[in-house]
Amino acid sequence: MINFNQVYKRYPNQYEALSGLSFHLERGEMAFLTGHSGAGKSTLLKLIALIERSTHGQVIINNQNLGRMPKWKVPYYRRMIGLVFQDHNLLHDRTVFDNVALPLIISGENHREIGRRVRAALDKVGLLGKERNLPIALSGGEQQRVGIARAVVNRPPILLADEPTGNLDPELSQEIMQLFEQFNQVGVTVFIASHDHDLISRMPYRRIVLQNGRLAE
Amino acid sequence: MNIVERFKNYLLRHIQVMLSSLGELWRHPLASIMTIVVIGIALALPAGLLVMLTNVAQISGQWQDSHQISLFLNDEVGDTRGQQLAEQLLSWPDISAVEFKSSSESLEEFRELSGLGSMLDNLPKNPLPAVIIVQAADDFSETENIEDLLDRLARMQDIALAQLDMQWLQRLRSLNQTAQRAIQILAALLSISVLLVIGNTIRLSILNRQAEIRVIKLVGGTNAFVRRPFLYTGFWYGFLGGVVAWLTLLTSLAVISGPINALASQYDNVFSLQWLAGELFLALPLLGVLLGVLGAWLAVGKHLSAIEPN
Ligand SMILES: Nc1ncnc2c1ncn2[C@@H]1O[C@H](COP(=O)(O)OP(=O)(O)O)[C@@H](O)[C@H]1O
Ligand SMILES: [Mg+2]
């Protein structure tokens, strides 16, 4: 599902964030991406989401070679990837409902379908009663769950999360991780960047460890 | 989702964005009104000048049709002979009206128009000739025919000079053309400024919504989707600006129509003010919309690539 083959990423300032990276994630697999701060975790996820492009090497996602993808196809490609960020990236002038509905509005769903799917996603993250609230009125953990609902609302086959528990206490972090597990159990490929060793070590999933932009052994 | 439903959703989405862009303007009424009024004035100015010019062109056009020729008679031709000549000319098929003015009548008229009054009494003899003013028949609209008539008249022995009263008209017309060119340039400059005003206003609202644009792109929004609300904002600015321009013109013309009608009555009402209200009611909002959407497009274009991956 996620296939990196000798991938290099050099930023415009000549800094090489990823060097000769190769790994493979199966369809339906759940894995963690760990490593020190600055190791290249975010960069790697950005390559998968096509927020950045690799300088060298192949990134192949769901049998599509991202290096060959023309610009106009990128938005449609991104619709099959759910993204969760550390700082949620919610729109603060819109209700929880409108935030979660955004991907569906973009893909042109009809009104009824949007209502149905948004409520299903909010139900799954346990926020059904809060759909009319503004994000500001929610706790940090709740905001992160809105972000997760938005990421899964159009049922993408891949879910990427960049430090999703970075701002949360251990208990809330645990809950968020359980949510990801639930999505993985219904077949979603889940890839989570995190440097929260305590949390990760308690969970039975593969770990891909980065060190200065390379795989650590 | 089948095609029909997809199209229906797309259309609904457009209407929704159109209305919410209008709502967005409504939420900042003062800023919106200021922008709209600036656009309105910038559109009204060239349009108002165009209305003036159209009226001048229309008036000079009417005079052109009248084909008036002045025949200056030889000094030795007396009033009776002059009258006879006038009547004779009236029987020509290509002449529709004549008016005889004796030399003393010409002097009277000159005295009145010039305001020289009794100073003219000191002249040893009346220097002005008798004049017959001839109107060519209406179907003589071709210049060649009127030149022909002019020729025949000039060759008559009692006539010293036959002059087509059109030189001043030609001058007026070339003046008019110059003014038209000037207005075109002004209109182009003001259109550019409308473009810039709208572009800049929308640039500011893009800066305010950069986080939102980023999120939209991250969850798979196309450039068209990002652009759409801004294009509709430009649409509304331009449209409302056009309507304001039209109202401004209507008010200004109502204010000056009084003096103009008074002026017209002194000239036997040969002209009346043409407002072009109907044409402008369509043209101004249309032009506004065009400029608004284009300005928005240019403003958004630059910012779309800034949020692209690479
Ligand atoms: N846009 C960028 N331009 C230049 N350097 C960058 C950019 N983004 C990240 N980097 C650098 O690349 C390295 C890896 O960053 P990142 O992928 O964010 O690491 P991590 O998420 O593991 O902390 C860091 O040294 C960072 O400074
Ligand atoms: Mg990071």
Side-chain angles (χ1 to χ4, degrees):
Chain A
M1 194 64 161
I2 296 175
N3 207 335
F4 273 58
N5 190 5
Q6 286 298 311
V7 172
Y8 289 80
K9 173 62 190 178
R10 181 174 291 137
Y11 281 110
N13 64 359
Q14 299 305 312
Y15 184 85
E16 195 165 87
L18 296 177
S19 319
L21 196 63
S22 299
F23 71 93
H24 180 78
L25 241 66
E26 295 294 338
R27 184 178 298 271
E29 192 176 352
M30 176 155 167
F32 288 110
L33 178 63
T34 70
H36 61 91
S37 173
K41 304 183 293 294
S42 299
T43 301
L44 194 158
L45 294 185
K46 282 176 184 167
L47 290 185
I48 299 175
L50 260 182
I51 297 167
E52 298 284 351
R53 283 187 197 259
S54 63
T55 317
H56 264 297
Q58 288 176 314
V59 180
I60 296 170
I61 310 295
N62 201 10
N63 300 322
Q64 299 181 73
N65 187 339
L66 300 194
R68 298 231 182 89
M69 186 168 294
K71 245 181 180 175
W72 67 270
K73 270 192 182 172
V74 171
Y76 303 96
Y77 164 76
R78 284 201 194 128
R79 292 176 195 179
M80 59 163 244
I81 292 177
L83 287 173
V84 178
F85 308 89
Q86 177 172 1
D87 50 5
H88 327 312
N89 269 338
L90 299 180
L91 302 177
H92 290 283
D93 57 347
R94 303 208 191 169
T95 62
V96 167
F97 183 97
D98 289 345
N99 267 282
V100 177
L102 190 61
L104 299 176
I105 291 172
I106 284 171
S107 60
E109 295 297 335
N110 72 39
H111 202 67
R112 203 166 347 114
E113 184 71 4
I114 290 175
R116 204 175 63 72
R117 290 221 220 155
V118 169
R119 271 182 277 278
L122 284 175
D123 188 26
K124 206 162 281 170
V125 299
L127 286 176
L128 201 46
K130 309 244 174 174
E131 56 184 77
R132 292 283 144 228
N133 287 43
L134 289 176
I136 283 297
L138 305 181
S139 71
E142 286 172 329
Q143 287 187 28
Q144 189 54 288
R145 283 187 285 166
V146 175
I148 293 170
R150 184 182 65 193
V152 300
V153 73
N154 58 353
R155 304 195 197 111
I158 298 173
L159 187 57
L160 304 178
D162 195 357
E163 314 268 5
T165 62
N167 295 328
L168 303 178
D169 61 45
E171 203 174 322
L172 284 173
S173 300
Q174 188 71 43
E175 284 177 25
I176 295 288
M177 284 303 173
Q178 279 162 4
L179 260 178
F180 285 123
E181 282 186 294
Q182 285 169 23
F183 291 117
N184 177 240
Q185 277 153 21
V186 296
V188 179
T189 306
V190 180
F191 198 19
I192 303 167
S194 173
H195 58 232
D196 188 343
H197 289 288
D198 291 343
L199 189 63
I200 293 169
S201 57
R202 273 183 272 132
M203 300 178 80
Y205 299 107
R206 176 142 80 106
R207 262 177 280 172
I208 291 169
V209 186
L210 285 184
Q211 194 168 20
N212 296 323
R214 297 169 192 278
L215 282 188
E217 289 313 318
Chain B
M1 256 195 296
N2 62 31
I3 294 276
V4 174
E5 194 185 349
R6 203 166 259 282
F7 185 70
K8 209 181 77 188
N9 290 344
Y10 182 78
L11 219 63
L12 272 174
R13 181 75 204 132
H14 264 271
I15 293 169
Q16 204 179 340
V17 174
M18 190 172 178
L19 295 180
S20 75
S21 316
L22 186 60
E24 192 67 28
L25 295 193
W26 190 251
R27 251 191 281 170
H28 312 282
L30 197 65
S32 302
I33 286 173
M34 286 201 297
T35 306
I36 288 167
V37 168
V38 167
I39 295 165
I41 291 171
L43 290 175
L45 207 58
L49 291 172
L50 188 75
V51 169
M52 295 290 201
L53 210 63
T54 310
N55 278 288
V56 172
Q58 182 224 353
I59 294 162
S60 60
Q62 276 179 6
W63 277 326
Q64 178 197 15
D65 290 340
S66 64
H67 291 322
Q68 187 169 297
I69 297 172
S70 300
L71 303 175
F72 299 97
L73 304 185
N74 284 324
D75 281 352
E76 66 278 3
V77 179
D79 286 358
T80 353
R81 173 78 194 107
Q83 283 283 4
Q84 276 172 4
L85 183 60
E87 273 157 39
Q88 183 195 335
L89 289 177
L90 190 56
S91 67
W92 290 21
D94 43 6
I95 288 177
S96 65
V98 294
E99 185 192 349
F100 174 74
K101 263 187 227 162
S102 69
S103 61
S104 50
E105 279 169 342
S106 295
L107 185 63
E108 265 326 294
E109 195 180 85
F110 181 65
R111 193 198 300 279
E112 235 171 74
L113 287 174
S114 66
L116 292 175
S118 55
M119 272 176 68
L120 293 174
D121 295 340
N122 298 332
L123 292 171
K125 86 183 243 293
N126 182 355
L128 296 178
V131 182
I132 298 175
I133 294 166
V134 166
Q135 296 287 344
D138 277 347
D139 47 341
F140 277 81
S141 49
E142 303 288 322
T143 332
E144 279 174 43
N145 287 329
I146 199 144
E147 297 284 352
D148 185 44
L149 174 64
L150 198 63
D151 232 38
R152 271 182 287 145
L153 290 169
R155 269 186 274 125
M156 293 176 81
Q157 64 169 178
D158 289 337
I159 293 173
L161 179 68
Q163 189 176 8
L164 194 57
D165 293 348
M166 249 174 59
Q167 274 174 344
W168 69 273
L169 209 59
Q170 275 162 356
R171 261 181 231 140
L172 179 65
R173 234 174 282 141
S174 61
L175 203 66
N176 210 334
Q177 275 163 4
T178 312
Q180 211 153 10
R181 198 54 54 81
I183 289 175
Q184 280 165 2
I185 293 170
L186 186 74
L189 291 177
L190 287 172
S191 296
I192 291 173
S193 68
V194 168
L195 210 68
L196 294 179
V197 166
I198 292 178
N200 196 48
T201 308
I202 286 177
R203 193 181 60 86
L204 290 179
S205 90
I206 290 170
L207 291 180
N208 285 332
R209 295 169 69 178
Q210 218 150 21
E212 180 183 343
I213 293 175
R214 220 186 114 70
V215 170
I216 288 173
K217 298 207 89 174
L218 286 176
V219 299
T222 56
N223 283 348
F225 186 92
V226 173
R227 213 182 268 130
R228 201 170 299 148
F230 298 108
L231 293 187
Y232 274 113
T233 306
F235 168 89
W236 284 118
Y237 276 131
F239 178 76
L240 295 173
V243 172
V244 166
W246 187 73
L247 292 174
T248 308
L249 274 188
L250 216 60
T251 319
S252 322
L253 291 174
V255 168
I256 62 169
S257 75
I260 284 198
N261 285 338
L263 189 68
S265 68
Q266 287 176 12
Y267 286 87
D268 304 330
N269 281 320
V270 292
F271 66 91
S272 63
L273 191 61
Q274 301 291 308
W275 285 19
L276 303 176
E279 287 93 328
L280 289 176
F281 183 64
L282 283 179
L284 284 173
L286 203 72
L287 180 66
V289 164
L290 224 71
L291 292 172
V293 172
L294 186 64
W297 185 285
L298 294 175
V300 183
K302 229 183 68 197
H303 288 263
L304 280 178
S305 50
I307 311 167
E308 272 297 296
N310 245 339

